[in-house]
Amino acid sequence: MTAASPTPSGDPLLAAKLSVPPVVRGLVSRRRLLDRLTEGTNGPLTLVTGPAGAGKTTAVASWARQGTAPGPVVWVSPDREDSPRVFWAHVLEAFRRRLLLPDGGAGLPRAGDGAGRALLVRFAAALEGLAEPVVLVVDGLDKAPGREVADGLEFLVDHAGPGLRLLLTSRVDPLLPLHRYRAEGRLCELRGAELAFTPREAAELLRGHGLAPGGEVVAGLTRRTEGWAAGLRLCALAVQRSGDPAGFATSYLASEQAVADYLLAEVLDAQPAGTQELLARTSVLDRVHPELADALTGRADAERTLDRLVRDNCFVQPVAGTRWFRVHPLFAAVLHARLRSRWPGLEPELHRRAAGWFAASGQLTETLVHAAAAGDWPYAAGEAVRHLLAGRLLAGLDEGRIDEGRIDALFSGMPADVPGAEAALVTAARLLARHDAAAARRWVLRAERRVRHRGAGAGAEVRLTLALLRLLLASYGTGSGAGAAARRTAELMAEVPAYRLKEHPEIEALRCHGRACALLVAGRPAEARAAFEETVRACTGEATHLVRHAAWGRLALAEAVRGELTAAADHAARALDVAERQGIPEGRQSGAGQLALATVACERCDVPTARHHLALAAEFTDTGADPVLRAERAVVRSRVELAHGRWAAASAVLDEAEPHLPGWPAERLAVARSAAALARGDPAAALSVLHRSGSPGAGRAAVPGDASRTVALALAHLAAGRPARALRLVAAADASPAPDLPDRVRIGLLRARAAAVAGDRRAARALLGEALDAAAPERLRRPFAEAGPWLRHLLRDVPPPAARWLTAGPPDRPGPVLVETLSAREREVLAYAARMMSNEEIAAALHLSVNTVKTHLRSVYRKLGTSRRREAVERGHELHLL
């Protein structure tokens, strides 16, 4: 080996700068990177760029030690203090030490001589004479100042011949004609995205630190660090100290503390003061726009600065196809901490400026986020109402739009004493979206007082939001006044700018839906049916999926109550289909469709199916909050109990649902309670229940709901031995507006029984035949099942074809059938679903996006012929897929 030469300054050369760095503890063998480096060094130039701590040096050193290079590896690590002459002195010395230069490099000048073009010419000529290729690794080229080193390397690439393979690592793109090398196919590049650790590699790194992480821990840390090598390693060391891998993986603060010192020293403190201030001020943002950054800094150089940070791999990346930039989340957290420590008290003002910029740009969600962060609640609420946010909240358009949380969660931090009608209206809309009608009503009353106090100063959007909330609240009461509220809402819609309503089709859909729900709670199911059909027609576009889903379900329920069982089953299926296809979150779905299916099954005496759909309906919030759904759920539950002969349980179910229910739902409970009393042979109790609920008297006009109560009264009087009075009552019921099918069938059966008691068996048979004919198209069995033992005797005289559908019982339900084979990935998703894992947890376990998991689940539901997760899991067990 030749004697080491000094640098031009006379200092000795450091051997460490000419040696491949040692392998670090816990090294992860990343075969994909090693293969790429081997492939790249088959050509003249390989470039590895990435931010600080991306693992550039580790990857190249690992490759250099594995022995797959095309020839000897010469390693040089420059320092920032090195002049170009010192850099080339190190390069020459590295070659001499490896005995790679002809005659030991005797024809080349010594290190103290000039490092100009003559040296490079003679060096290139010497490299041309090499017997085999040599890989020159320059690790950290960004530390070599100026253009002179880069110019020298460009000269070597162009003139040293195929014997030189240059491999460069750098935090920034070197001053080389990379565009030309790319066009000529002479450049292999590995950038930050390729250097990022995959979850599998992250798991191996953690194991190298003596940890045994679970899939959730690995996924959490990989997601938090975005695969950044130094961040993962620092987090692994912190996990070792904490002894709580799961807790660390879910803690943003722990991750931030683990990497803060590194990012401050290696990245932030290396930036000019102006750049540091820009980064700190923009740390209040999720994404940075140059114009927004200028608004926060008061300068006009943000775009130039951000572009430079991107080029320098300073944890700032452009958002593809836009002028926006994003900052690595861990770096953003460090910047936020710097802002609070160095400029205390500035953060609210920055949020206020950001809110104004977003408002001017027409971006409502971000406007509200920053107005709330600034504590400017009057402005936030005013913007929300001006943009008709109540409709968005009530139509379920508030799911997962922003990282800070949904708008509902955003306004949960708004104090109760914020002045103005707008704040009260936003609070009322939030509460009503969660079916808390009592609390919402109190806030609507507060908003009304504030609007009256403001007088003519209340804007059209304020008055429209107030009217819409009043209309929707009507369905939680008796439904009275809903017609006037619907008309008032339509009038105010005409006062709002047309473009605003075009942006919010959910407003008209909610208006129609509110009117329909109010009609149903008022006991006018026939009119409600038409109104729900109008609602479905008004639901156009993505903004109205939730309203359409709810409208189909309530339409089905209105039809089921009227005995239109076939249509009810069809429309309930449509409600479930909308929820599945549109991915409506389970927490926002309505249970009306499942409740309608339970009602249909109960009316057809298919008790197991009714019980199944009742259990599913109970999982939805609205079946316990909405008066109509709450009452119908109790009614069907009581009928299921009666079908099993459990009279006390049937009455107890109805007692639980009784408090605070308004008119028609309360009447439905009273009729059901009377049926339970008759089932246990107590007509006096049945009459008492019905009279307490308000039986029709002389001179009283027929009102919706009277027919069912009147028929129930007639049945009770008949059971008490008063057939004449019973017949007078059903005559009155017949005179009421269009009794529903179940009531018409009961009237026919009552008359048939009265005729049989009177000894007119021929008339009884004829009346029974008419009832059978009326019920047959819908397979309505329950009135016959509850009629009593007298019916069995009379059925013997009815021709068999007329009653065959009744005596055959409910149709057999087919066993589980697999419509289409599940893919391997779909079976994996189903298996995780069976373990009660959320969509987010399944996504993390399988390294998929949440949307992809939802797509797989929808495909599973379709193939298994189910509509919900639990049904799919049950079907999977039945088919031995799990």
Side-chain angles (χ1 to χ4, degrees):
M1 180 180 295
T2 60
S5 303
T7 66
S9 62
D11 297 327
L13 290 165
L14 299 177
K17 298 177 65 172
L18 309 179
S19 303
V20 178
V23 175
V24 297
R25 174 175 171 266
L27 175 69
V28 177
S29 178
R30 307 172 72 191
R31 175 55 54 186
R32 60 186 180 88
L33 296 184
L34 303 181
D35 291 344
R36 286 279 284 136
L37 290 170
T38 299
E39 174 190 351
T41 52
N42 287 325
L45 178 59
T46 303
L47 177 62
V48 182
T49 56
K56 302 180 294 294
T57 298
T58 301
V60 176
S62 176
W63 169 83
R65 289 181 177 278
Q66 76 167 355
T68 60
V73 175
V74 176
W75 191 282
V76 177
S77 300
D79 287 326
R80 296 195 183 280
E81 294 77 14
D82 292 346
S83 67
R85 296 175 68 191
V86 170
F87 170 79
W88 288 110
H90 279 92
V91 171
L92 292 174
E93 183 62 21
F95 271 84
R96 288 191 175 100
R97 290 190 179 195
R98 294 297 305 273
L99 304 178
L100 295 172
L101 295 177
D103 302 324
L108 294 174
R110 307 308 296 172
D113 297 339
R117 185 173 183 82
L119 169 65
L120 295 174
V121 170
R122 280 179 280 178
F123 187 30
L127 294 174
E128 282 187 312
L130 294 176
E132 59 178 336
V134 175
V135 179
L136 171 58
V137 176
V138 181
D139 181 36
L141 180 60
D142 52 290
K143 297 177 183 177
R147 292 194 57 95
E148 193 170 339
V149 170
D151 289 342
L153 293 172
E154 179 183 353
F155 181 86
L156 290 182
V157 170
D158 291 339
H159 298 95
L164 177 65
R165 312 292 170 82
L166 196 59
L167 197 165
L168 311 176
T169 75
S170 178
R171 293 186 185 180
V172 301
D173 280 353
L175 298 175
L176 295 170
L178 300 180
H179 60 284
R180 175 163 60 85
Y181 296 152
R182 291 190 190 105
E184 296 170 353
R186 302 169 67 196
L187 173 64
C188 175
E189 296 178 86
L190 278 76
R191 295 192 172 270
E194 284 186 87
L195 294 171
F197 273 62
T198 65
R200 184 191 63 78
E201 293 167 344
E204 187 177 345
L205 184 148
L206 294 172
R207 286 193 294 269
H209 284 75
L211 303 171
E216 294 181 14
V217 172
V218 172
L221 288 177
T222 306
R223 182 170 57 252
R224 188 79 46 75
T225 60
E226 297 186 354
W228 175 42
L232 278 169
R233 193 173 299 280
L234 291 168
C235 285
L237 294 171
V239 169
Q240 284 180 314
R241 293 192 298 271
S242 72
D244 180 17
F248 188 95
T250 57
S251 171
Y252 277 94
L253 180 60
S255 300
E256 174 193 336
Q257 292 173 340
V259 303
D261 290 342
Y262 184 95
L263 288 170
L264 286 172
E266 293 291 329
V267 184
L268 185 59
D269 289 344
Q271 300 299 321
T275 300
Q276 292 187 36
E277 183 177 358
L278 181 146
L279 288 169
R281 284 175 174 252
T282 57
S283 67
V284 300
L285 307 170
D286 283 333
R287 298 184 305 162
V288 184
H289 191 282
E291 294 175 8
L292 176 54
D294 287 338
L296 298 186
T297 61
R299 302 201 307 264
D301 60 348
E303 187 157 24
R304 184 169 61 254
T305 301
L306 291 167
D307 284 337
R308 180 183 61 77
L309 290 169
V310 170
R311 290 194 304 272
D312 291 353
N313 281 312
C314 290
F315 294 91
V316 177
Q317 292 294 326
V319 178
T322 73
R323 293 183 62 200
W324 290 87
F325 297 81
R326 62 177 296 276
V327 179
H328 191 289
L330 290 178
F331 190 36
V334 171
L335 294 171
H336 201 189
R338 171 65 65 90
L339 172 68
R340 290 178 170 178
S341 65
R342 185 162 294 184
W343 294 278
L346 179 60
E347 191 171 349
E349 174 58 27
L350 294 174
H351 281 297
R352 193 171 289 108
R353 292 187 195 180
W357 189 90
F358 280 116
S361 302
Q363 300 180 61
L364 175 62
T365 299
E366 290 77 8
T367 300
L368 300 180
V369 167
H370 290 285
D376 194 346
W377 294 108
Y379 177 73
E383 286 295 293
V385 172
R386 188 168 70 87
H387 287 270
L388 302 179
L389 179 68
R392 174 170 152 179
L393 284 167
L394 295 164
L397 301 178
D398 188 31
E399 300 294 332
R401 290 288 303 274
I402 49 176
D403 291 340
E404 290 83 356
R406 296 178 293 111
I407 297 297
D408 174 73
L410 179 69
F411 276 99
S412 66
M414 183 169 63
D417 58 354
V418 175
E422 291 87 349
L425 290 172
V426 170
T427 302
R430 290 181 52 247
L431 292 166
L432 190 55
R434 298 199 296 270
H435 306 288
D436 190 349
R441 188 172 285 111
R442 291 193 293 271
W443 282 95
V444 165
L445 291 174
R446 184 181 299 189
E448 287 176 343
R449 290 193 296 270
R450 294 176 179 179
V451 168
R452 283 198 299 271
H453 179 74
R454 191 182 301 181
E461 292 86 355
V462 171
R463 290 178 284 122
L464 172 58
T465 300
L466 180 57
L468 182 62
L469 287 170
R470 283 177 183 151
L471 172 60
L472 294 172
L473 282 170
S475 65
Y476 288 87
T478 62
S480 61
R487 288 190 295 274
R488 179 59 176 160
T489 303
E491 293 169 1
L492 289 169
M493 288 173 66
E495 297 183 21
V496 172
Y499 74 88
R500 186 78 74 201
L501 289 177
K502 188 175 181 180
E503 294 172 351
H504 294 279
E506 70 273 10
I507 298 297
E508 172 62 9
L510 287 167
R511 185 191 72 82
C512 295
H513 188 62
R515 175 174 171 270
C517 289
L519 287 169
L520 191 57
V521 79
R524 297 154 68 178
E527 296 173 67
R529 183 186 190 283
F532 281 123
E533 289 175 340
E534 180 187 2
T535 302
V536 170
R537 290 192 296 271
C539 291
T540 57
E542 184 178 353
T544 57
H545 290 326
L546 179 63
V547 183
R548 183 188 297 112
H549 159 69
W552 278 126
R554 282 168 171 76
L555 171 60
L557 190 61
E559 291 167 333
V561 167
R562 286 171 50 81
E564 300 168 4
L565 305 183
T566 303
D570 176 61
H571 291 149
R574 294 192 190 190
L576 302 182
D577 183 66
V578 169
E580 177 194 346
R581 289 184 179 276
Q582 305 305 331
I584 297 174
E586 291 185 8
R588 296 305 305 270
Q589 291 181 26
S590 169
Q594 294 288 1
L595 192 54
L597 291 172
T599 302
V600 169
C602 190
E603 293 295 321
R604 289 174 171 168
C605 292
D606 185 356
V607 175
T609 299
R611 193 165 50 241
H612 170 71
H613 288 294
L614 269 177
L616 294 177
E619 298 178 6
F620 298 97
T621 304
D622 62 346
T623 61
D626 182 279
V628 170
L629 304 188
R630 179 177 161 196
E632 199 61 27
R633 179 178 154 197
V635 166
V636 179
R637 286 177 63 198
S638 72
R639 290 171 180 170
V640 168
E641 296 293 350
L642 286 178
H644 291 287
R646 297 191 285 261
W647 305 317
S651 297
V653 164
L654 298 169
D655 290 340
E656 291 173 9
E658 176 66 29
H660 311 301
L661 282 176
W664 186 66
E667 289 180 4
R668 294 279 295 168
L669 292 180
V671 170
R673 190 173 282 106
S674 73
L678 290 179
R680 68 173 183 266
D682 191 351
L687 287 168
S688 175
V689 166
L690 293 168
H691 282 300
R692 282 201 310 270
S693 73
S695 60
R700 177 182 169 191
V703 297
D706 274 354
S708 294
R709 190 176 60 248
T710 303
V711 172
L713 274 169
L715 290 171
H717 280 295
L718 185 62
R722 294 187 286 272
R725 186 162 186 180
L727 289 172
R728 286 196 300 272
L729 284 167
V730 295
D734 256 344
S736 68
D740 296 332
L741 176 62
D743 290 329
R744 295 203 310 273
V745 172
R746 285 185 178 83
I747 290 171
L749 290 175
L750 186 149
R751 285 174 170 158
R753 182 181 181 186
V757 169
D760 190 349
R761 202 165 181 84
R762 181 177 179 180
R765 285 197 304 270
L767 289 166
L768 175 57
E770 292 176 4
L772 286 167
D773 290 343
E778 296 292 351
R779 297 297 188 262
L780 177 65
R781 294 182 174 87
R782 192 172 63 83
F784 301 93
E786 295 178 351
W790 68 270
L791 183 62
R792 289 195 296 273
H793 300 292
L794 193 58
L795 279 172
R796 295 171 185 163
D797 298 334
V798 175
R804 185 172 293 130
W805 69 270
L806 179 65
T807 57
D812 293 335
R813 291 184 302 279
V817 176
L818 185 59
V819 177
E820 184 180 338
T821 303
L822 300 188
S823 69
R825 180 64 84 184
E826 288 165 351
R827 293 184 68 157
E828 284 183 312
V829 170
L830 181 61
Y832 280 119
R835 291 163 57 184
M836 306 298 291
M837 294 174 66
S838 68
N839 290 346
E840 291 75 12
E841 290 170 332
I842 296 173
L846 296 177
H847 310 306
L848 303 172
S849 71
V850 175
N851 285 336
T852 300
V853 170
K854 291 179 179 178
T855 299
H856 284 311
L857 282 173
R858 286 196 290 270
S859 180
V860 168
Y861 298 159
R862 177 181 60 80
K863 292 180 179 181
L864 296 182
T866 61
S867 59
R868 293 174 61 78
R869 177 182 290 215
R870 192 168 73 178
E871 295 175 16
V873 170
E874 291 173 356
R875 185 65 55 83
H877 283 297
E878 293 172 5
L879 294 168
H880 307 292
L881 298 175
L882 298 173

